[in-house]
Amino acid sequence: MSTEKILGKILTRRGFVRLMAKAGAILSTLPLLRGIARGSVEKKSHTGRATVIDRWGGAMLLKNGLIVDGTGKKGFVGSVLIKGDKIVAVTPAEVKTAGKVIDCTNKVIAPGFIDAHSHADWHLPIVGHPELMSPFTAQGVTTVVAGNCGYAAAGFRKNSPYMKLISDRTLGLFQGPIKINWSTMEEYFTTLRKQWISHNLVDNVGHGMTRTSIRGFDPTPMRSAEMREMLALLGEAMDQGARGVSLGLQYEPGVFATKEELTQVASLVKKKDKILAVHMKAYSALSGTYPLKPFGEAHNLLAIRDMLDIARQTGVRLQLSHLIFVGTKTWGNYEKALAMIDEAIRQGLDVKFDTYSYHCGASHINVFLPEWFLAGVPGIYNDKTAMLKLRLEAKAILWLLGFGFEDIQITYANHPELNKYNGMFLRDIAKERGL
């Protein structure tokens, strides 16, 4: 089964997550192939139970585990026989071997999991730091879907004058940015092939980083020539192996993209028969990425509606990234959100979503800044009127959401004078600084 087919199944079956959560521990990270291969003999024991006798020698046996093969079929207690890098038997029968035996009683034997949303494309090129990816392996993840949120590691204009903007986004990874010595997706994949990487990679090309390589964080609408160049670069990346395009609509420059621009990107993805993965414009009932309208539709629902409209218009396969509900005042509209998605599916749209089972998320701090403010960075920091407006707007949104500065923790400030506050919450930092 190809990675693409496996990915399609996982992204279309919500029950997979529930099944895996109940299953427990994972022992195998190899693809499972049913059946008994040549080199083994099957016999009936005196108890009437079939017995498989290993004739290879030197094999490894995972014995008496609950086998869940990822196909949706009911799990069964059995054994998996491995020879070298191949699985040679998956069977409920008793297996006899002179090789190594691991008792998997009360454990689960399963194929490697696919992490449907990661940013590992920025970690995999870093040599000498296996600890970046070992937590994935420890959880049974063997394939990562990366290049998400418009923030991918390749698909750039060659010799772009804006590479520093892209490189600076990696600051904090081991005291400095990643040295990016590639532009295209093909060059990026070639870099990875030249060095050993620990996981399978399903990569997207990021609309945001490709756009940045053409015009930086310019908030104005794209010119026709720029649009043609961006679509050409995104198309080239998909032709070179990217499985789709990702959007990051809460980050610059994706936050500045017009609906017309996004529709053209979606049409290209549809033409290439790929997937459009979207970090939407809002995940809370109120967000600075939409105008504040009293008694208007919740912004997170509006964000879903915007993307469903584009999917209806273009027919693109749509993946809504990390569908979460930020702030206690947002929690109550989850049923409406799911109903919107279910209705779209009933209408024939190919739309799915992923989520995570944590009570917090991680992002750049500018995700809390409204679009109008990001459009003026960096000069706007010196505008006292704008800063006052930002302060009042932020306080109002956070108060109305049931989400405050006491809920925002800085993991890495990325500034020599501010790194001492790493691990602290904004409210406590403000108190310490007398703000």
Side-chain angles (χ1 to χ4, degrees):
M1 184 178 292
S2 70
T3 302
E4 187 171 48
K5 289 182 180 178
I6 296 173
L7 177 60
K9 284 190 175 184
I10 286 193
L11 293 181
T12 57
R13 195 167 64 249
R14 300 180 196 172
F16 176 83
V17 176
R18 294 193 295 271
L19 179 62
M20 291 297 100
K22 294 177 181 178
I26 308 147
L27 288 184
S28 173
T29 59
L30 297 173
L32 297 182
L33 304 175
R34 287 195 172 277
I36 301 172
R38 286 190 300 241
S40 62
V41 178
E42 184 173 352
K43 295 182 177 181
K44 291 284 186 179
S45 68
H46 68 278
T47 63
R49 183 184 179 190
T51 300
V52 177
I53 302 175
D54 169 27
R55 299 299 192 192
W56 293 277
M60 179 173 69
L61 176 65
L62 307 179
K63 180 179 179 181
N64 295 331
L66 176 63
I67 296 175
V68 181
D69 65 9
T71 64
K73 296 179 181 179
K74 185 177 180 179
F76 63 94
V77 176
S79 299
V80 176
L81 188 64
I82 303 168
K83 175 66 175 178
D85 61 356
K86 295 182 182 295
I87 291 177
V88 294
V90 179
T91 175
E94 181 183 357
V95 179
K96 293 185 177 180
T97 179
K100 182 178 180 180
V101 177
I102 299 176
D103 186 1
C104 299
T105 301
N106 297 324
K107 304 248 182 341
V108 174
I109 305 172
F113 290 174
I114 298 175
D115 185 339
H117 184 99
S118 85
H119 295 279
D121 52 327
W122 291 100
H123 294 159
L124 289 171
I126 300 176
V127 177
H129 290 281
E131 71 275 14
L132 282 171
M133 296 303 297
S134 58
F136 291 86
T137 307
Q139 297 175 79
V141 173
T142 56
T143 298
V144 291
V145 182
N148 286 296
C149 302
Y151 181 47
F156 314 134
R157 172 198 275 185
K158 286 187 178 295
N159 303 313
S160 168
Y162 300 106
M163 286 307 296
K164 187 176 186 305
L165 278 178
I166 295 173
S167 182
D168 282 353
R169 285 297 178 96
T170 69
L171 284 171
L173 291 175
F174 300 99
Q175 310 306 316
I178 296 173
K179 184 179 180 181
I180 301 174
N181 53 13
W182 60 81
S183 297
T184 67
M185 192 64 69
E186 183 176 9
E187 290 168 348
Y188 171 74
F189 288 149
T190 298
T191 298
L192 294 183
R193 290 189 189 102
K194 288 180 179 179
Q195 62 193 54
W196 182 85
I197 62 173
S198 55
H199 291 67
N200 302 311
L201 172 65
V202 178
D203 211 14
N204 292 314
V205 59
H207 159 266
M209 291 295 95
T210 299
R211 193 183 198 270
T212 299
S213 75
I214 296 170
R215 63 184 340 242
F217 292 160
D218 188 337
T220 62
M222 295 190 76
R223 302 174 185 86
S224 296
E226 292 173 330
M227 190 70 196
R228 288 194 298 271
E229 181 181 4
M230 184 181 72
L231 293 175
L233 289 172
L234 295 176
E236 177 186 61
M238 286 187 280
D239 291 341
Q240 292 176 353
R243 300 304 180 95
V245 172
S246 71
L247 305 175
L249 303 184
Q250 279 190 307
Y251 307 116
E252 65 268 54
V255 68
F256 308 130
T258 63
K259 199 165 186 177
E260 171 59 26
E261 177 183 334
L262 299 179
T263 301
Q264 289 192 52
V265 172
S267 296
L268 173 65
V269 177
K270 168 64 177 178
K271 180 181 177 181
K272 298 290 185 180
D273 193 25
K274 303 287 186 173
I275 292 174
L276 184 67
V278 188
H279 177 126
M280 293 180 288
K281 288 191 74 170
Y283 288 90
S284 54
L286 287 173
S287 171
T289 50
Y290 286 102
L292 300 180
K293 294 181 179 180
F295 311 110
E297 184 174 27
H299 288 172
N300 63 314
L301 300 182
L302 187 58
I304 295 173
R305 191 179 305 282
D306 282 349
M307 293 315 306
L308 292 179
D309 286 347
I310 290 175
R312 288 190 184 94
Q313 184 176 343
T314 63
V316 71
R317 290 184 286 165
L318 182 64
Q319 179 73 15
L320 303 177
S321 296
H322 42 61
L323 185 65
I324 56 176
F325 300 84
V326 178
T328 58
K329 302 296 176 62
T330 307
W331 297 351
N333 69 33
Y334 78 92
E335 289 184 338
K336 291 182 180 180
L338 296 179
M340 290 169 64
I341 296 170
D342 287 340
E343 178 59 26
I345 293 171
R346 281 192 291 269
Q347 294 172 356
L349 273 65
D350 189 345
V351 54
K352 306 294 182 291
F353 67 86
D354 54 79
T355 190
Y356 51 82
S357 56
Y358 305 111
H359 296 293
C360 61
S363 187
H364 296 291
I365 198 167
N366 60 4
V367 77
F368 295 106
L369 300 177
E371 179 182 346
W372 64 264
F373 188 85
L374 290 173
V377 170
I380 200 168
Y381 286 111
N382 297 317
D383 185 331
K384 292 183 179 180
T385 301
M387 293 300 291
L388 177 60
K389 178 184 175 182
L390 175 66
R391 179 188 293 266
L392 295 175
E393 188 173 305
K395 283 187 175 182
I397 290 176
L398 294 176
W399 180 76
L400 290 170
L401 279 180
F403 181 85
F405 293 113
E406 68 275 10
D407 299 309
I408 303 172
Q409 184 181 25
I410 302 300
T411 56
Y412 184 67
N414 194 23
H415 190 282
E417 295 180 12
L418 300 177
N419 284 337
K420 62 183 178 180
Y421 300 119
N422 290 345
M424 294 178 61
F425 288 84
L426 284 185
R427 184 177 63 179
D428 298 327
I429 295 173
K431 287 181 180 178
E432 187 165 320
R433 291 174 64 88
L435 300 176

